[in-house]
Amino acid sequence: MNVNQSAPPVPPFGQSQPIYPGYHQSSYSGQPGPAAPATLHGAYNGPAPGYQQVPPQGVLRAPPSSGVPPASAAQVPCAQTTYGQFGQGDIQNGPSSTAQMQRVPGSQQFGPPLAPVVSQPAVLQPYGPPPTSSQVTAQLAGMQIGGAVAQAPPASGLGYGPPTSLASASGNFPNSGPYGSYPQSQAPPLSQAQGHPGVQPPLRPAPPLASSFTSPASGGPRMPSMTGPLPPGQGFGSLPVNQANHVSSPPAHALPPGTQMTGPPVPPPPPMHSPQQPGYQLQQNGSFGPARGPQPNYESPYPGAPTFGSQPGPPQPLPPKRLDPDAIPSPIQVIEDDRNNRGSEPFITGVRGQVPPLVTTNFLVKDQGNASPRYIRCTSYNIPCTSDMAKQAQVPLAAVIKPLARLPPEEASPYVVDHGESGPLRCNRCKAYMCPLMTFIEGGRRFQCSFCSCINDVPPQYFQHLDHTGKRVDAYDRPELSLGSYEFLATVDYCKNNKFPSPPAFIFMIDVSYNAIRTGLVRLLCEELKSLLDYLPREGGAEESAIRVGFVTYNKVLHFYNVKSSLAQPQMMVVSDVADMFVPLLDGFLVNVSESRAVITSLLDQIPEMFADTRETETVFAPVIQAGMEALKAAECAGKLFLFHTSLPIAEAPGKLKNRDDRKLINTDKEKTLFQPQTGTYQTLAKECVAQGCCVDLFLFPNQYVDVATLSVVPQLTGGSVYKYACFQVENDQERFLSDLRRDVQKVVGFDAVMRVRTSTGIRAVDFFGAFYMSNTTDVELAGLDGDKTVTVEFKHDDRLNEENGALLQCALLYTSCAGQRRLRIHNLALNCCTQLADLYRNCETDTLINYMAKFAYRAVLSSPVKTVRDTLITQCAQILACYRKNCASPSSAGQLILPECMKLLPVYLNCVLKSDVLQPGAEVTTDDRAYVRQLVSSMDVAETNVFFYPRLLPLTKSPLDSTAEPPAVRASEERLSSGDIYLLENGLNLFVWVGASVQQGVVQSLFNVSSFSQITSGLSVLPVLDNPLSKKVRGLIDSLRAQRTRYMKLIVVKQEDKLEMMFKHFLVEDKSLSGGASYVDFLCHMHKEIRQLLS
């Protein structure tokens, strides 16, 4: 590379120039636009516009709202499969992304044609006096969400006390959809009544857009009802209206306190078609739907209602109402909107503090000076300038870093920069590496460090002149001056004992006790290894892998094998002194696969035969890891142990364990002991492994309790992985195990790694979460690190930040590649700083926040009672939302819950974390399962925690057969399931196909090759391979979902009303759980109550 070459017109690595003309930072939804108006709209479940009396100007028009399904909907039987012309989104998820209002198709199959929604009058003559402001205030003051109140039955159990007997929101209602089953309510007041169009909006800065709705009030006068139906667009359960993110509409204003909205009835205004006219407010696509027609399988709330135009009957009292699940923020809609708004444009990283698209959106990244969100995601991209402001908001400041993340094929891997013997250029004071954030001064002879402000000399060999903007003329020739992520080749100073490392080794350590032989595991594994050894990871264009391999088998004693290429047959050496472990051979234990191919194949053929008649049931565990580590130490290389283990190690040896499984400890102060290791032996062993660069991957095949909490300590602290196959059977679990094994052996790993995160003055890294070891407060030590693992880092203020400079992060990872090359991988990210809380809340990312909160909670259960941990999460979430309400939102009624636009899914996602098996286990969840999930989540990335806590539910028969796209997801709730359909549910670990009892016979035949629902085998784990479009499509979808995930998801077919259905329903996270977890609706009410307590 010519250092004196002038900058080319186009950057050589296919980068665009960092700042496009006209390119500016986009807002959260991906579209810049005017700020939201200062006032917010009417609440969720506010009074139906038609029942609100207004002064008789004849100008005012009510916002469109969703109507109740008319009577004709009630004629559809519950199990009917015909869906007319409604697309999936229309039925299951509220609004479509485009339509502001929907017409009901004239060819509906539900009965007589309906009047089109848009032509209905917006204001109706009221059927009874609305509550006055004073009545409303009294109503809200006495309102207790979630508790029993006079005149109202208690809300269904929140999981924060004994559940009450009221039906929950889980949708378990006989012959009824959600509209028919929820009692209808008196309507709580709109937070701001529509004011006169002539009133000027108040002059105040616009807050970030918020979603708002009112919780159902419990006392006070009730709205009279009528027997006739409401016209479409009207109704007691009408959905709230929310300001669109980028539309500026006249704000609504409150009437003076105490004003009664009375006056003569207003005649209906003429039909209005333009949603842009004053008085009509556009609906937000985030969570609250446009007016909808009837929904299949949902009965009308007005049984026997006459057709439109009939006279109303006598008023009847209505029971209180629950929140309408369609009226609260929908994860599905938010994900869909982000895909539509931000999926088509590449994400260009040149601008500081941009919030990237959601993890659920497929997008291309162009690195122009900041690390790709595939490597680093932050909880907020705008950090408070002071620690006081950060404490007030309670939003954790954290980054989820995935240093070796795999990139899609369209994106280039980080460039490798070789600075020769001098090594990479660094700041003399803080040791930060050269990056695009550094500033060159004095004509290029010196540079100022952006992290600590120290001024450093530029070495003569690195000198280059500056252009008229102060940038080096070779900036675009040098990855470290123009890209956010790149690698340096490390010099010998960065190596252990000042000598370059040898290529790493893999040691396969196989349990050959009775259990492992009896299940067929040993035979299956040996057969697979014969071919798998050809696919060991290799560098770039290398013809074969540099990794050497070794083999050990064990039960109560260890057997080492000499597989030297000069031998005709492998030789076995037995070590029975497990208390003082040593490696009996050096030469011939670790070998090159291609050289010793014949001897290795012979060994793998012999192992299953040698131990075929074993009666040995006891096993050791710690000595096996010790032996592998000693072998790597003797060979002076780093490496990985692959352990295949079946039972609790009860044989006399170091690390011997006893069965301590005790379900009686759940919900007691001693519950934390179930997550803690039984003995300190394994921590000490892990520390020695890290020092040697020995990473451990553990494959467990338990038939009963094996104490995962203790056995997973070494994999956890060495950066390894744990895989668990309970009650392993070759015919059912073979595909899952072999797929996981192939992926684990083939993935690229960095060995003997050290990671450090540096920050600019003002903040510092204070806490770390993940699978690693730390011997001091700054260095994250990883014996191994693969492309799936993340390290989550929390930051705290130690000084004041300023808005001009922002806050900078640099993650440096020093590691040995699979070929034995020592490298440094650098990721840089610049964030904005703010003095206004509104800017913080505008630039948060909920998915990353939940990833951090889950890891924080899952670590806290080691030292605190589970109930304390759950309460801490709820309190923190309430404080975050209360601070927003107090400091950023427009003034509005206390009965209204207002959520920041980019955090409106925080309650639903947090509820999923609270209900997870670790924090609230059901009766069927074992202690081992909880420990397994706890360590698994600790190193998950943001995309994995997103789908793990809120699973994807995909209807399989709705989208066209010739479409290759994934079907649109629906919300994870039982009331979204139709018995006439088939659904696929996945959460990254599990995969279910749920079959409704009324599925058409042709669909059953096409998918399962049987003639009726009753003949489908429940619990089936593989779909038959059939030559028809539906079968091909569903199997293709399953394959593509498995390819997206880091672990193979085993399929389970579940039939409606079958015993396996309880397991499936566990993943319908918006519903109340059997273990006492609240439904989404209930939790939202509980959060609202907590926020109001904090504000009062």
Side-chain angles (χ1 to χ4, degrees), residues 24 186 253 355 363 488 500 531 592 682 753 934 959:
H24 51 80
Q186 73 285 9
H253 295 284
V355 181
F363 60 99
F488 291 121
F500 284 112
S531 56
N592 179 291
Y682 290 96
R934 197 192 74 77
S959 51

Side-chain angles (χ1 to χ4, degrees), residues 90 99 111 153 224 244 334 356 362 476 503 509 523 574 659 711 738 981 1058:
D90 306 326
V334 171
N362 280 330
Y476 292 115
M509 317 188 88
R523 189 173 296 280
V574 180
N659 187 335
L711 297 190
L738 294 182
D981 205 351
D1058 187 81

Side-chain angles (χ1 to χ4, degrees), residues 732-750:
N732 290 339
D733 301 294
Q734 166 178 345
E735 194 179 357
R736 177 171 156 231
F737 163 55
L738 294 182
S739 175
D740 286 342
L741 176 63
R742 286 168 195 150
R743 199 171 185 284
D744 197 54
V745 168
Q746 293 174 41
K747 65 185 169 192
V748 173
V749 183

Side-chain angles (χ1 to χ4, degrees), residues 50 203 243 636 729 860 918:
L203 295 168
Q243 190 70 23
E636 296 185 338
Q729 293 177 308
V918 173

Side-chain angles (χ1 to χ4, degrees), residues 396-637:
L397 304 175
V400 179
I401 306 174
K402 197 176 183 181
L404 297 180
R406 290 187 308 280
L407 301 179
E410 313 83 72
E411 292 175 27
S413 295
Y415 289 88
V416 181
V417 180
D418 186 359
H419 281 316
E421 287 184 15
S422 60
L425 187 57
R426 305 174 71 173
C427 168
N428 290 330
R429 185 196 291 162
C430 70
K431 303 297 182 200
Y433 292 87
M434 178 53 69
C435 67
L437 309 169
M438 304 292 192
T439 313
F440 287 87
I441 53 175
E442 297 179 22
R445 287 186 295 279
R446 306 176 91 183
F447 73 91
Q448 181 168 18
C449 173
S450 321
F451 293 87
C452 69
S453 305
C454 174
I455 291 175
N456 300 267
D457 291 330
V458 173
Q461 73 274 15
Y462 199 77
F463 172 78
Q464 185 53 278
H465 295 286
L466 308 184
D467 65 14
H468 64 286
T469 65
K471 226 183 169 76
R472 281 175 55 126
V473 297
D474 66 346
Y476 292 115
D477 291 336
R478 290 189 176 272
E480 74 274 22
L481 298 181
S482 55
L483 295 178
S485 300
Y486 42 88
E487 291 198 324
F488 291 121
L489 282 187
T491 57
V492 75
D493 307 339
Y494 290 88
C495 302
K496 250 187 205 164
N497 309 325
N498 277 11
K499 63 182 222 183
F500 284 112
S502 311
F506 283 179
I507 304 177
F508 296 92
M509 317 188 88
I510 305 168
D511 176 348
V512 288
S513 64
Y514 175 73
N515 273 338
I517 297 291
R518 182 185 58 82
T519 56
L521 168 65
V522 174
R523 189 173 296 280
L524 177 71
L525 176 58
C526 290
E527 204 53 48
E528 176 63 27
L529 284 177
K530 288 184 208 168
S531 56
L532 188 54
L533 293 176
D534 291 329
Y535 298 98
L536 299 176
R538 63 192 77 182
E539 280 293 287
E543 280 188 24
E544 62 177 53
S545 176
I547 292 173
R548 292 169 296 163
V549 298
F551 301 89
V552 172
T553 57
Y554 67 95
N555 38 45
K556 266 180 20 181
V557 297
L558 276 76
H559 323 107
F560 292 79
Y561 296 93
N562 183 345
V563 283
K564 201 173 177 180
S565 56
S566 56
L567 296 173
Q569 284 293 322
Q571 294 172 346
M572 173 165 133
M573 298 184 182
V574 180
V575 176
S576 53
D577 182 7
V578 289
D580 184 18
M581 184 45 63
F582 67 97
V583 181
L585 76 161
L586 290 180
D587 188 31
F589 179 63
L590 294 177
V591 297
N592 179 291
V593 175
S594 55
E595 289 172 12
S596 297
R597 163 69 64 195
V599 194
I600 291 173
T601 304
S602 171
L603 170 67
L604 292 171
D605 283 335
Q606 288 176 37
I607 288 174
E609 306 308 327
M610 259 190 293
F611 299 99
D613 299 324
T614 186
R615 285 286 169 267
E616 185 55 74
T617 55
E618 293 186 359
T619 56
V620 295
F621 188 72
V624 184
I625 296 173
Q626 181 87 35
M629 184 195 65
E630 297 291 350
L632 293 175
K633 192 183 280 185
E636 296 185 338
C637 69

Side-chain angles (χ1 to χ4, degrees), residues 36-37 41 209-210 241-245 247-250 281-284:
H41 298 303
L209 202 73
V241 177
N242 199 33
Q243 190 70 23
N245 225 357
V247 176
S248 138
S249 234
Q281 282 150 342
L282 278 177
Q283 294 206 344
Q284 158 104 19

